[in-house]
Each structure stands twice: as C-alpha cells, then as structure tokens.
Amino acid sequence: MNKGIDKKTVKRGLLPYLFLALIMLLVLYVFNVMNQDVHVLTYDEFVKALDGKEITELELVARGNAYTYEASGTLEGYQENESFFARLPLSEQVMKRIVAASDEQGFKFITTPDPSSSSFLLIVVNVLPILLLVGVAFWFFSRQMAGNKSSMDFGKSKARLNTDNNKVTFKDVAGLKEEKEEVKELIDFLKNPKKFQKLGARIPKGVLLFGPPGTGKTLLAKAVAGEANVPFYFISGSDFVELFVGVGASRVRDMFQQAKRNAPCLIFIDEIDAVGRQRGTGLGGGHDEREQTLNQLLTEMDGFGANEGIIIIAATNRPDVLDPALLRPGRFDRQVTVNLPDVKGREEILAVHAKNKVLADGITLANLAKRTPGFSGADLENLLNEAALLAVRRNKDKITMSEIDEATDRVLMGPAKTSHKYSENDRKLVAYHEAGHAVIGLKLSNASDVQKVTIIPRGSAGGYNMMVPSEEKLCSTKTDLLEEITGLLGGRTAEEIVFGEITTGAHNDFEKATKIARAMVCEYGMSDLGPLQFEQPGGSVFLGRDYNKTQHFSNEVANEIDMEMRKIINDCHKKATEIIKKNRDLLKLIADTLLEYETLTKEQIDYLVKNGKMPEEEDGDNYESMSVTKLREIAKEKGIKNYSKMSKAELLKELDEANH
C-alpha cells in the first residue's frame, strides 16, 4: 500500500463494499428460506411416519422452558428443498421410542441441547440489556455535566497567558526610539517597584498606544513584557463582547482576578476601541452589553489600589472614538503616539527585516529608506518579502534593485497588468500625462523629487509618477502645498496643451488636489478668509454624529469657501500651464522616452535631462533597463514569436522564460 494514503481513507473506501456484501448475503439467506417447503406434522403424524420407517433424517431440540421437543428432518420421497417440523411431548418415553427406531431403522439422528440453558446466552439475554441501558444513561448524564461546566465557564476571561519561549525584546523593535523610552519606566517598575515607592511616585495604571495601522503597537507591548520578564496576558477587545448582556462584564472581573493572583503582570488589550467606544452614541440607543463591559472595565481600572503591580497596555488606531472616562488620569494615564517612522526609523526597520534576506551588491538600506516615505513597519516588511518572492520567481540567487522597485510598485499600486492591451494612442496619452507630472516636479524648487515614472498600468491607473519629498518636514508651508497641487495638475495640463483634449485620466489627481485646497481654506487658514477653521479634521465612525453634525458657517461663507478653493486650483493650473509651455521640448523628450522604455528611474531621468538622451545600452542580462526596441532585437535572436506586438512587460516575461 502507498504510505501516502491515509488509513482512514482506505477504511472509508471499503465500507460501501462490506455493506453491499452484507446485503447480498441477507438476500441469499431470505431467498433460501423462502424456497424451503416445510411440512408441519402433528404428533400422531410423526408417530405414524416413525413407525412406518419413512424418516431419513431427524434432529431433536429439547425446549425445557416449553416442555417440548422440536423435531425437524426429512422423509422418504422428499425433494431437496422439503423438510418437516413437529412438536413432541418432553418425556422419557418419547425419547426411548425415537432412539429404538433409530437403532432399528438406521436413519440419521441428532440431538441438540436447549440453547436457552446456556449461561453465556443467559448473560447476553438478561444482563446485557441492563448494562447497555446503564451505559446510555451514564453517557447522557456525562454530556449534560460537560455542557453545564462549559456554561459555567461562559463568563470566564478569554485572556491568554503568553508562554512563547521566543520572547520579543527591544532589540526586535526598530524605529521607535522615543516610544521605547516612554514605556521603559513600566519595565523598571515591574522589576524594582520600591525605587518608585520611596519617592511616592505612582506608576501609570494604563498606557494607551495609538497610531496608524502597522506601526508596531502590538510589537511594542510584547517587547515590554519580554524585557520585564513578567506574566503577559493578551486579549482582543472583541473577546469581551458577547450576545448575552453581562457576559463581558463578568469576563473583565475574572481577568483582573487572574491578574491580581499573578501580580506583577501585564495585560495587553488589542483593538480596545471594539469595547471602549463612547457610551450613548449612535442612532437607536446604546449597546447594553458593550456599555456594561466598558463600565466594568472603568471600575476595575480605578478600583484596585495604587502600585498593585498590574499594568494595562491597550492599542488602537482610533483614539478619537474612545470614551473620555477611559482616558482620564487613574485609568489610561499615559498615551503614547506610535507614528509612521521617519527616514532613520525606516532604515532601522529595514535592517531588522533584511537580516535573513540576500541583497545584491550596491543596494543600501539608507537609499531604500529614502525611497519609501509614508511606509509603516508592516509595509517595509511586506516590501522586502515581496522582493524576495520576485527574486525566487525569477530564479535569482540575490535580491536586486529591480525586484525592490517592482515590490514597491506592488505595495503601492498592485501588480502590473502585463496582459492589458491598449492602443498606441492611449499609450501616447498616458506618456504625455505622466511626463507632465515629471516636468512640474523637475522645474519647481519646492516640489517633490521624481523617483520613478511608468506607463505600465497598475490597479485602476494607466500609469503613475512616484514623487517623494526632497527632505521630510514636520510641517508643510503654503508654498509646498501650492506646488503639490500644481504637480497634481501637470498631467491634465499636458493633455490640454499637446492634444487639445482632456480625458478621465486625471480623476485621482483632482481628488487629491481638491482635498488639499479645501484643507488650506477650511483647516489651515491659508486663504483670504483669514486664519479661521471652518471644519474639524478627520471624521467619526458614528452614524449618529454624522446626522447631528452642525455647520459652523453660513451659506455666504460656504460660497466664499468655494470661491477660494476655485481660486487656488485655477492659479495652480495657470502656473502649470506656463511651466509646460515653457518646457515643451523636455515634455516631448520624457514622453518619447517613456514610449520606448515604459519605465524611467530617477537616475535615468537625471541623465536624460542633463544629456538629452538615454545612456548607451550595454549587452547583458539586465533587460529591465533596456528599451523596447533593444528587447525586440534580443527576442528576435532567441526565436520568440510575435515579439513585434509585445509590450516591454511581456518581452521581459518571455525573455526570462527563454533564459531559464
């Protein structure tokens, strides 16, 4: 038998055949019984046949409980399927008469003891049903007890004690220098509480970590427990909320009881906004179960005495929806913002995730960190993982810059649509659109640096322009925002100037530009309306708040806001038009090069602007940096069919398969 075949699978496969065989045997037995012709004789008829020497076979079974013999056998002249049956008195005279006839006539005579007199059969018939009944009753009651036990545990806490031997420490947390300094006091208190008690200091009972998703809030909480080497209970906010009112509150009480028995310890509540949202919000009343759970959590946090050794760390990315009572001193005393990492933090995070990656020579993490502004720690980990997967897919032994660029595009925009076919006119439109963005970025001093331009479609975009700030700033000036809007309008402006026509390709550009312009007028006070804030940044998740949202300005002011926004957009569009017209030759150069190469990196763009042409192409296997014309020549030499109609992405795929 093949070892890879599961024994259970074999048994399941044999069961239908065994069942079929059993049915066939049963059918044969019934058919045989039905074909038997049994003649029932009276006692007188049996005696007459015995005296007349007609019996050829006889079997006698004594039935003591019925005081009879059961006689069966055959008579002379019977066919093969014929037999007789008779009941005889259970007496010694009958037995002597039959034995004497058998000795005289010589027919076959068999006697069988009464089956009911067997002790084994007596146990089977009388004792086994009782045992079976007792067993069924025991099984039923045991199931009931187990169900009652699980129902009794319904209100028990679902907080789990972390027993992982591979503990996370601060060495595994990169890019959060200030955040680690904030929580180091917790570690010192858990290790040496007397040092704080001498000066009468009260350690925070709760620490709230909030920030964008993927910035390392959960990882930081694990590192605190790993550094302190104390019991670490972790639970999600959704584990408290149940269908039945009061269960969540019971679980909160049980969680704190367990924590007090194991103090000093840490309790980590992930996604606390699931249970800690503001009470009494939303339409149609509150949520009784969630609000009771929150009330119990508030009571427990402010109920136990100072310095009992229980510290709660909670994480959320929506601190604005939390109940104010949860954030007051005595509960979550300290709030730590875990922001997106800066360039130095990204370099440290990349160093942690690149430990087990094989990077090609020339790739520096510092340069990669500069190319990834706005990436969270989770994004950076995903970036390197995607690059490694691409390198394996391309049969490379090292991760090159080509894989990192492709992985960056995948994280930002999704995989390239290599099979997407569009006309040459559409390619030209996209090329000039993206070239317009690039020209604005190159000519405006405060604009972002152009890192990459491509006309390969990804996601819902026909192409895109990757622009990153020349330096990361804490605040943006009015000039920065205006030049950002101008850069966003560069694509539409190039379409208007070159083709005298406009397309739907600038939809996302307008969305971003309008959002910036409205924020400048309504939030930042960067308009002729003065330093006034007409709208609050950010929105709420509560439907009730949306319905009760009040308007802080009159209709006349709303009209002025619209006029100011329109003025900002029109001024930026006018400036973009001037730049594009003044640099029409550069626009054409970048667009024509994009049509030939489909993707341009920062180094290639800088060389193109400086020398007016692309660097000389060298023979080799670095197909990504070659033009479409060069790739088609190589594809022709390798005998690839239909090479003249393929895009660059399709040529790269075919050449990669041909080489491997």
Side-chain angles (χ1 to χ4, degrees):
M1 183 184 294
N2 188 358
K3 294 182 179 180
I5 300 176
D6 190 2
K7 292 182 178 179
K8 292 183 178 180
T9 305
V10 175
K11 291 180 179 179
R12 286 196 296 268
L14 292 177
L15 284 177
Y17 297 101
L18 294 176
F19 185 69
L20 181 61
L22 183 63
I23 292 178
M24 292 179 64
L25 291 174
L26 182 62
V27 170
L28 291 174
Y29 173 77
V30 172
F31 182 77
N32 186 38
V33 170
M34 292 179 64
N35 286 338
Q36 290 291 329
D37 187 9
V38 180
H39 302 277
V40 179
L41 305 180
T42 63
Y43 176 70
D44 294 337
E45 291 174 342
F46 174 78
V47 171
K48 183 178 179 182
L50 183 65
D51 294 340
K53 300 180 180 181
E54 298 178 6
I55 297 176
T56 56
E57 290 185 10
L58 179 62
E59 180 179 359
L60 205 61
V61 179
R63 296 291 185 183
N65 55 353
Y67 302 103
T68 59
Y69 287 117
E70 291 182 354
S72 60
T74 57
L75 301 178
E76 289 183 353
Y78 274 14
Q79 300 295 327
E80 186 176 355
N81 62 338
E82 286 185 293
S83 62
F84 71 86
F85 176 81
R87 293 186 182 276
L88 313 177
L90 184 63
S91 66
E92 187 176 352
Q93 291 80 4
V94 172
M95 178 59 69
K96 288 181 178 179
R97 187 171 184 177
I98 293 174
V99 170
S102 174
D103 292 340
E104 179 184 353
Q105 301 174 17
F107 59 83
K108 185 178 179 181
F109 176 53
I110 302 173
T111 58
T112 303
D114 187 0
S116 62
S117 64
S118 172
S119 59
F120 175 76
L121 186 61
L122 181 65
I123 294 174
V124 170
V125 174
N126 297 314
V127 180
L128 187 60
I130 298 175
L131 293 177
L132 185 61
L133 183 62
V134 172
V136 171
F138 178 78
W139 176 81
F140 177 76
F141 284 113
S142 63
R143 288 293 299 271
Q144 289 294 319
M145 293 297 294
N148 291 335
K149 184 178 180 181
S150 62
S151 63
M152 294 298 292
D153 292 340
F154 197 61
K156 296 293 183 181
S157 171
K158 290 188 176 183
R160 299 176 294 279
L161 180 63
N162 185 21
T163 57
D164 190 4
N165 294 326
N166 300 323
K167 292 184 178 180
V168 179
T169 62
F170 280 164
K171 294 180 181 179
D172 303 309
V173 182
L176 300 176
K177 184 177 180 180
E178 291 78 11
E179 290 81 354
K180 287 189 285 188
E181 291 293 333
E182 283 290 320
V183 297
K184 273 185 178 179
E185 288 183 1
L186 305 180
I187 301 171
D188 295 337
F189 170 75
L190 291 170
K191 288 184 175 180
N192 188 13
K194 293 182 179 179
K195 182 174 70 173
F196 294 87
Q197 294 171 358
K198 285 181 181 179
L199 297 178
R202 180 182 63 83
I203 200 70
K205 294 181 180 180
V207 177
L208 179 66
L209 306 176
F210 62 89
T215 50
K217 299 182 290 294
T218 303
L219 186 66
L220 185 61
K222 291 181 179 179
V224 172
E227 292 285 345
N229 197 23
V230 295
F232 178 55
Y233 291 92
F234 59 95
I235 189 172
S236 173
S238 60
D239 289 334
F240 292 110
V241 183
E242 285 288 349
L243 174 65
F244 304 106
V245 177
V247 174
S250 175
R251 290 178 177 176
V252 172
R253 288 191 295 269
D254 185 66
M255 180 180 69
F256 278 92
Q257 289 175 1
Q258 294 182 34
K260 290 177 182 179
R261 289 194 294 265
N262 294 278
C265 68
L266 277 174
I267 298 176
F268 176 61
I269 305 176
D270 196 12
E271 305 296 344
I272 193 173
D273 54 281
V275 69
R277 292 188 178 185
Q278 290 191 22
R279 293 164 290 181
T281 55
L283 296 179
H287 190 301
D288 288 340
E289 162 62 3
R290 181 178 57 78
E291 292 189 4
Q292 285 197 21
T293 306
L294 175 58
N295 292 338
Q296 186 63 44
L297 181 62
L298 296 174
T299 303
E300 292 290 342
M301 288 190 68
D302 202 24
F304 51 81
N307 296 334
E308 284 197 4
I310 302 175
I311 296 177
I312 300 177
I313 300 178
T316 180
N317 51 25
R318 290 303 309 270
D320 56 307
V321 304
L322 295 179
D323 195 280
L326 199 62
L327 305 177
R328 74 159 177 81
R331 285 165 183 155
F332 283 106
D333 309 77
R334 184 170 299 179
Q335 301 176 28
V336 180
T337 304
V338 186
N339 281 322
L340 293 171
D342 57 8
V343 61
K344 185 178 179 181
R346 292 195 298 272
E347 184 178 353
E348 294 175 358
I349 294 172
L350 287 169
V352 171
H353 295 302
K355 288 180 180 179
N356 60 341
K357 307 289 191 302
V358 183
L359 301 178
D361 298 335
I363 296 179
T364 60
L365 298 180
N367 291 335
L368 185 56
K370 293 178 182 178
R371 297 164 60 95
T372 52
F375 276 50
S376 66
D379 292 332
L380 295 172
E381 189 276 334
N382 188 32
L383 169 65
L384 290 180
N385 185 63
E386 285 287 347
L389 293 174
L390 286 170
V392 173
R393 196 178 303 166
R394 295 175 178 178
N395 297 314
K396 293 184 178 181
D397 55 357
K398 292 182 180 180
I399 302 173
T400 65
M401 201 63 203
S402 174
E403 284 76 42
I404 292 178
D405 281 339
E406 175 66 19
T408 305
D409 296 341
R410 281 173 172 264
V411 173
L412 291 174
M413 304 289 293
K417 295 183 178 179
T418 57
S419 61
H420 184 70
K421 299 291 185 182
Y422 55 101
S423 65
E424 193 63 29
N425 185 52
D426 288 339
R427 290 183 74 245
K428 191 174 181 180
L429 274 169
V430 174
Y432 272 95
H433 181 100
E434 300 303 332
H437 289 304
V439 170
I440 300 295
L442 290 169
K443 294 303 176 180
L444 289 180
S445 58
N446 292 329
S448 301
D449 291 337
V450 180
Q451 292 290 332
K452 187 176 183 179
V453 185
T454 180
I455 60 173
I456 297 175
R458 289 179 183 273
S460 59
Y464 80 98
N465 194 315
M466 181 191 295
M467 302 176 69
V468 300
S470 55
E471 61 178 7
E472 296 187 27
K473 300 177 182 179
L474 182 62
C475 297
S476 297
T477 64
K478 182 178 180 180
T479 303
D480 294 336
L481 296 176
L482 290 174
E483 292 193 354
E484 186 175 353
I485 295 175
T486 304
L488 290 169
L489 298 176
R492 165 59 69 86
T493 305
E495 294 175 8
E496 293 173 343
I497 293 174
V498 176
F499 301 99
E501 187 63 84
I502 56 178
T503 67
T504 59
H507 167 75
N508 187 248
D509 298 332
F510 295 157
E511 181 182 352
K512 294 178 181 178
T514 305
K515 185 177 180 181
I516 296 172
R518 187 168 190 86
M520 290 176 64
V521 178
C522 298
E523 298 178 25
Y524 307 145
M526 295 180 178
S527 69
D528 294 339
L529 294 180
L532 298 174
Q533 189 177 61
F534 299 102
E535 293 180 354
Q536 295 290 334
S540 173
V541 297
F542 294 116
L543 182 64
R545 283 188 181 175
D546 293 338
Y547 273 86
N548 295 325
K549 192 174 182 180
T550 57
Q551 187 171 316
H552 298 290
F553 46 84
S554 63
N555 293 332
E556 290 78 7
V557 175
N559 182 54
E560 293 181 14
I561 290 174
D562 294 338
M563 293 177 63
E564 287 295 325
M565 289 175 55
R566 190 178 296 112
K567 180 183 177 182
I568 291 174
I569 296 294
N570 290 338
D571 290 345
C572 291
H573 181 254
K574 183 178 179 181
K575 187 174 183 179
T577 304
E578 294 174 356
I579 296 173
I580 295 294
K581 287 183 177 179
K582 187 177 179 180
N583 298 274
R584 183 73 179 266
D585 294 338
L586 179 60
L587 177 72
K588 185 176 186 305
L589 177 63
I590 296 177
D592 291 343
T593 309
L594 274 174
L595 290 171
E596 183 66 21
Y597 286 81
E598 293 191 350
T599 300
L600 297 177
T601 62
K602 183 181 186 315
E603 294 76 13
Q604 291 174 327
I605 294 172
D606 292 341
Y607 188 92
L608 182 65
V609 174
K610 183 178 180 181
N611 300 283
K613 62 178 182 178
M614 291 290 287
E616 295 293 332
E617 298 182 7
E618 299 179 358
D619 294 334
D621 294 332
N622 189 17
Y623 297 142
E624 288 83 1
S625 61
M626 294 182 182
S627 64
V628 177
T629 303
K630 182 68 174 178
L631 291 174
R632 285 174 178 171
E633 292 176 0
I634 299 174
K636 181 179 180 181
E637 294 175 359
K638 293 184 176 292
I640 297 175
K641 299 180 179 179
N642 298 324
Y643 64 89
S644 60
K645 298 181 180 180
M646 293 183 182
S647 64
K648 184 175 181 178
E650 292 173 320
L651 288 168
L652 290 174
K653 183 178 179 181
E654 292 293 333
L655 289 172
D656 184 65
E657 292 178 356
N659 290 336
H660 297 93

